[in-house]
Amino acid sequence: MEKTQRIIIKNKNGLHTRVAAMVARQSQKFEKIWDCQLYLRRINSQEGVPCNSVLPLVSLKVKNGEMVEVYSSDSGSEEAVFRLASFLGQTPELEIPETEAIDSILQENTLASEKIFESINNGLIAMDSNGIINIFNRAAEEITGIKAKDIIGKKGDEWVPNFNLNDLLHSKCENLGLKHKIGNKWVITNKSPIIVDEEVVGGVVVFQDISQLEELSWELHSVKELKEKFNNILETVDDGICMINRCREITYVNHPFVKMFKKEGTRVLTRKIQELFPKEKFGDPFFAGKEEIILSTTDGREFIMHARPIMIDAKFRGNVVVARELTEIAKLADRIELLSQKTQYLQEELAKKEGLNQSFDNIIGKSGALIESLTVASKAARTDAAVLIRGESGTGKELVARAIHRAGARSDKPFVGMNCAAIPSNLLESELFGYEKGAFTGAYKEKRGKFEIASGGTIFLDEIGDMDKAMQAKLLRVLQEQEIERIGGVKPIRIDVRVIAATNSPLEAMMQEGSFRRDLYYRLNVITVMLPPLRQRKGDIPLLVEYFTEKISKKYDLPKCAIRKDALTALENYHFPGNVRELENLIEGGMTLSNNEWITIADLPAYLCDQGSDQNCREKTFSSDGDDLPTFAEMERWLIEQALKKHGSFRKAGQALGLDHKTISKKADKYQLK
């Protein structure tokens, strides 16, 4: 049962340090005599403090005239409680017992406090009401890097400005959990003013080094971020992935794995992998990563599965098992092969384009058939070998011939063109070889022929197929001997001429008929350049239209026109028997007739509209079903047309359709696709 005794403190300074020391001294004596523990508390308070220690007594902050209660729960403590209460009730000034003993107690408590301050791991700074530091413990020295002997007795803010110690003294408020940086260290501080009789008599700052906690926090944040990234990667890959521990129990499965094998993710965790696939044999070599397993599902799909060991600190911790669908691998392999073929094709086309000499840049077009022809022409320009350019009328044979000349070593020498079909046969010899003065009636002076003028450079013989056989024989001799004789002359003239010939005639058929010399054909046909007709390079029509509109606008000082989509579609559907020359004429006529900045379908000839209607009718026929089926001829024409559009040459179109190039050529003639 608790024994209590109430008294009123009559000391004018209340229960201050010296009075508390005297009380602690008396309490120690009484407790020793009556073998008990004495406590002191305020009235109506449940908690008390031991009377044998100075600091707890001072911490009660008991004032003059305040009632307190001495108590003890030990048996036989009634006398001890009574005596200590009687002592407290006296006026201390009238009795100063054992001054040396009290001083000893005060000294012991002070030394104990200092020992406590030095032993704690938190930094402790105490200062008086003027901000002068009077306590600076060992932990404070280590954290701040400031020695106690350098700071005690000096203003704190001058040494530790981050703490704002003066603000603490003026605000009279506690500041808890503040974070500051001192040098390279982060600290968290609790700042409290010391208030006595409502006056600030000092302040205490307790702070803790949290640099390691900050580092650990950052590392933890980095680990969380890495884990989140890792989870996102595992969930977004196409492969099925599961992880197993050392006991071969599943600890994780990603969504693709669940989807592949139709297993509920939450139902497979903690189960052994063998239970999920009871028909398979998972041996030690599999878990060691030395062999793979092929799995077959009930719906006929096949999967390949392999495992990789997880080693941490050279210790085996489990496996990562990866599953991949074989059908998807096959599809991927096919796609890679297709992309490889496309890449190779594009590389070849790029090499052709990059291999072209700059002299060919003024030839408009990007279609494969044209680039292939220009590549041959560009290679032919490297030598002086004879070149035979073949193609329909209007495909730009002379344009290519001039490009070959500019790209060759003779570019600074003359280029002389001659249309063999435009000169009567009886005058062709004098045009080619020249004549002496008086060689015939009207020959008042000598004249040099085309070959002599072109000596050192290039002569271009257009429409060579229209030359008669007698002239062919003379031309053959010139090509073989590299010398000419003027009409009426007796002395041969040496020449150095490169010959480029062109024709739209079927020379092979003419040789069979005997109208063209076989030996001349082989002399001219050293390198053949086949120029595709415009209908085989429909993709170049927009480029050509843009080029011609700009050219014609400059030529006639007309505003530059653009072309409407329906007009361009009509041009693309037209078969162009006159090729690029005909297209240029159509654009020139359209720009002349147009009243605004657009070339419309109304500005083009009417037969283009009819051609577009026929094309639409064919498309409509082929897209219908039921009894309205296309005829065999219509289907054949459409197939050959599509093959020529796609491949650009008779040979490649024939390969695509399983026919030889001669058959494709005849069919193209039949259906007017050239």
Side-chain angles (χ1 to χ4, degrees):
M1 183 176 176
E2 189 177 85
K3 293 83 177 176
T4 63
Q5 185 73 43
R6 294 183 177 183
I7 64 278
I8 297 175
I9 300 300
K10 298 179 180 179
N11 187 280
K12 64 179 181 178
N13 293 321
L15 200 59
H16 60 78
T17 305
R18 180 170 289 277
V19 173
M22 290 190 292
V23 172
R25 175 64 177 166
Q26 293 298 323
S27 178
Q28 291 171 6
K29 291 170 59 178
F30 297 152
E31 288 175 354
K32 186 175 182 181
I33 296 172
W34 283 282
D35 190 22
C36 62
Q37 179 71 53
L38 298 173
Y39 296 91
L40 183 70
R41 66 188 174 196
R42 281 191 170 89
I43 301 300
N44 301 324
S45 175
Q46 299 295 323
E47 299 294 333
V49 298
C51 295
N52 58 7
S53 180
V54 175
L55 287 178
L57 291 172
V58 173
S59 67
L60 284 178
K61 299 179 181 179
V62 178
K63 298 180 180 180
N64 181 29
E66 188 174 353
M67 181 176 287
V68 294
E69 192 173 52
V70 179
Y71 69 95
S72 176
S73 299
D74 299 326
S75 60
S77 61
E78 293 89 346
E79 187 63 25
V81 169
F82 174 77
R83 294 228 178 176
L84 185 58
S86 298
F87 179 79
L88 280 169
Q90 298 178 25
T91 302
E93 285 83 358
L94 299 178
E95 183 179 356
I96 307 297
E98 303 181 16
T99 302
E100 292 183 0
I102 293 173
D103 289 342
S104 176
I105 292 175
L106 290 174
Q107 181 69 11
E108 289 175 2
N109 279 270
T110 301
L111 293 175
S113 299
E114 290 180 356
K115 188 65 176 177
I116 293 171
F117 296 157
E118 292 299 319
S119 63
I120 60 177
N121 292 323
N122 291 344
L124 175 65
I125 300 176
M127 58 186 176
D128 61 18
S129 59
N130 296 317
I132 302 299
I133 303 296
N134 49 43
I135 296 178
F136 198 83
N137 72 344
R138 178 187 53 80
E141 289 182 322
E142 294 176 354
I143 295 173
T144 63
I146 302 171
K147 296 297 183 181
K149 63 184 180 62
D150 295 330
I151 193 173
I152 290 178
K154 298 178 181 179
K155 288 277 188 178
D157 277 337
E158 297 177 1
W159 290 80
V160 195
N162 289 343
F163 283 171
N164 297 320
L165 299 178
N166 283 332
D167 292 345
L168 170 64
L169 298 177
H170 292 99
S171 66
K172 300 184 181 181
C173 296
E174 289 186 331
N175 289 310
L176 306 179
L178 300 178
K179 191 159 68 171
H180 303 283
K181 192 170 186 181
I182 302 178
N184 295 325
K185 295 181 180 180
W186 283 98
V187 298
I188 189 166
T189 65
N190 293 328
K191 298 189 291 185
S192 301
I194 302 173
I195 299 175
V196 177
D197 294 331
E198 299 183 358
E199 293 291 332
V200 176
V201 297
V204 176
V205 179
V206 180
F207 53 97
Q208 181 180 2
D209 185 358
I210 59 169
S211 300
Q212 292 183 347
L213 294 178
E214 287 287 309
E215 292 176 3
L216 291 175
S217 175
W218 173 250
E219 290 179 5
L220 180 60
H221 175 74
S222 299
V223 170
K224 289 181 178 178
E225 183 178 354
L226 182 62
K227 181 180 178 182
E228 186 65 24
K229 290 179 179 178
F230 182 63
N231 286 336
N232 288 336
I233 292 172
L234 292 180
E235 291 298 327
T236 54
V237 297
D238 294 330
D239 297 339
I241 298 175
C242 79
M243 296 184 184
I244 57 177
N245 58 20
R246 287 177 293 182
C247 300
R248 298 176 184 176
E249 296 171 341
I250 296 175
T251 58
Y252 169 82
V253 289
N254 69 347
H255 181 70
F257 187 92
V258 173
K259 187 177 179 181
M260 281 179 182
F261 301 107
K262 299 179 181 178
K263 309 286 187 181
E264 289 293 337
T266 55
R267 296 182 181 179
V268 301
L269 297 180
T270 71
R271 295 177 61 186
K272 291 185 178 295
I273 191 170
Q274 185 68 62
E275 296 179 20
L276 294 185
F277 306 99
K279 296 181 181 180
E280 305 300 331
K281 294 182 179 180
F282 294 96
D284 291 337
F286 171 78
F287 294 104
K290 296 181 180 179
E291 68 177 26
E292 298 172 337
I293 291 179
I294 305 297
L295 303 176
S296 298
T297 58
T298 55
D299 55 1
R301 294 179 300 156
E302 288 189 341
F303 298 88
I304 184 171
M305 184 180 289
H306 62 271
R308 291 290 179 269
I310 300 174
M311 306 298 293
I312 301 176
D313 296 332
K315 294 182 179 180
F316 176 74
R317 300 295 184 183
N319 291 93
V320 176
V321 180
V322 180
R324 184 174 300 168
E325 189 171 353
L326 288 175
T327 51
E328 292 297 325
I329 295 176
K331 291 178 182 177
L332 184 60
D334 292 341
R335 186 177 179 186
I336 291 174
E337 183 178 359
L338 177 61
L339 291 175
S340 178
Q341 293 174 356
K342 288 183 177 180
T343 302
Q344 184 178 358
Y345 169 76
L346 292 174
Q347 287 176 341
E348 291 174 355
E349 293 299 313
L350 182 61
K352 291 178 182 178
K353 186 68 177 176
E354 291 179 345
L356 292 179
N357 191 281
Q358 293 181 350
S359 301
F360 293 86
D361 291 346
N362 64 333
I363 300 176
I364 308 301
K366 295 182 179 179
S367 65
L370 179 64
I371 296 300
E372 187 174 347
S373 299
L374 296 182
T375 301
V376 176
S378 182
K379 292 178 180 178
R382 302 171 188 170
T383 67
D384 283 342
V387 178
L388 180 60
I389 304 175
R390 307 189 66 172
E392 297 179 11
S393 179
T395 52
K397 296 186 288 294
E398 183 172 353
L399 198 62
V400 174
R402 290 183 180 275
I404 293 174
H405 171 72
R406 289 194 302 271
R410 300 171 181 262
S411 59
D412 57 341
K413 302 297 182 180
F415 176 88
V416 179
M418 177 78 179
N419 190 331
C420 300
I423 306 297
S425 58
N426 58 340
L427 299 179
L428 184 59
E429 182 178 1
S430 64
E431 287 293 326
L432 289 176
F433 308 132
Y435 53 81
E436 296 287 350
K437 180 180 179 181
F440 51 81
T441 303
Y444 299 114
K445 59 180 180 179
E446 68 178 23
K447 178 185 177 183
R448 293 194 304 162
K450 301 293 186 184
F451 270 96
E452 195 173 348
I453 295 172
S455 184
T458 303
I459 188 168
F460 174 59
L461 302 176
D462 197 7
E463 304 299 347
I464 193 71
D466 293 338
M467 184 181 291
D468 62 25
K469 292 199 69 174
M471 196 63 221
Q472 292 176 25
K474 294 180 181 180
L475 177 61
L476 177 62
R477 183 181 178 281
V478 170
L479 297 179
Q480 290 175 340
E481 303 298 333
Q482 285 291 298
E483 62 181 23
I484 62 169
E485 288 185 8
R486 295 175 182 171
I487 297 175
V490 294
K491 182 181 178 181
I493 301 172
R494 295 294 300 176
I495 58 171
D496 176 20
V497 178
R498 178 181 191 171
V499 178
I500 301 177
T503 184
N504 62 357
S505 303
L507 296 183
E508 293 80 8
M510 294 174 66
M511 286 190 297
Q512 295 291 335
E513 298 170 356
S515 59
F516 196 83
R517 292 181 64 97
R518 190 178 297 273
D519 48 3
L520 178 60
Y521 172 80
Y522 292 121
R523 174 66 66 178
L524 295 172
N525 194 31
V526 178
I527 299 175
T528 301
V529 177
M530 295 290 298
L531 292 182
L534 185 56
R535 61 180 168 274
Q536 292 182 11
R537 37 182 291 227
K538 293 290 186 71
D540 291 339
I541 289 178
L543 298 175
L544 290 166
V545 169
E546 183 179 1
Y547 171 75
F548 288 141
T549 54
E550 186 171 350
K551 174 183 175 182
I552 294 166
S553 67
K554 291 180 180 178
K555 180 179 178 182
Y556 297 115
D557 194 21
L558 295 172
K560 187 176 178 181
C561 287
I563 188 168
R564 292 285 187 186
K565 184 176 180 181
D566 55 349
L568 182 61
T569 302
L571 291 175
E572 290 175 337
N573 291 334
Y574 183 52
H575 63 282
F576 280 104
N579 294 294
V580 179
R581 185 183 296 118
E582 183 181 7
L583 175 61
E584 182 177 6
N585 294 336
L586 289 174
I587 296 302
E588 184 172 351
M591 290 182 66
T592 304
L593 297 174
S594 177
N595 295 322
N596 51 47
E597 59 184 8
W598 291 96
I599 300 175
T600 66
I601 196 167
D603 300 321
L604 300 177
Y607 60 81
L608 287 179
C609 302
D610 298 337
Q611 179 76 14
S613 299
D614 295 341
Q615 179 74 13
N616 292 336
C617 291
R618 287 199 301 273
E619 292 177 358
K620 182 178 179 181
T621 301
F622 291 163
S623 63
S624 60
D625 53 9
D627 296 332
D628 191 14
L629 296 174
T631 64
F632 178 83
E634 290 174 334
M635 200 67 193
E636 184 180 53
R637 184 190 188 285
W638 183 82
L639 284 172
I640 294 173
E641 183 180 19
Q642 296 303 311
L644 288 174
K645 282 183 179 180
K646 182 176 182 181
H647 300 286
S649 68
F650 293 146
R651 181 179 60 82
K652 291 184 178 180
Q655 289 177 349
L657 296 177
L659 302 172
D660 58 72
H661 72 281
K662 292 183 179 179
T663 302
I664 294 294
S665 179
K666 290 180 181 179
K667 296 288 186 182
D669 285 335
K670 175 182 176 182
Y671 296 120
Q672 297 182 348
L673 296 176
K674 287 188 175 181

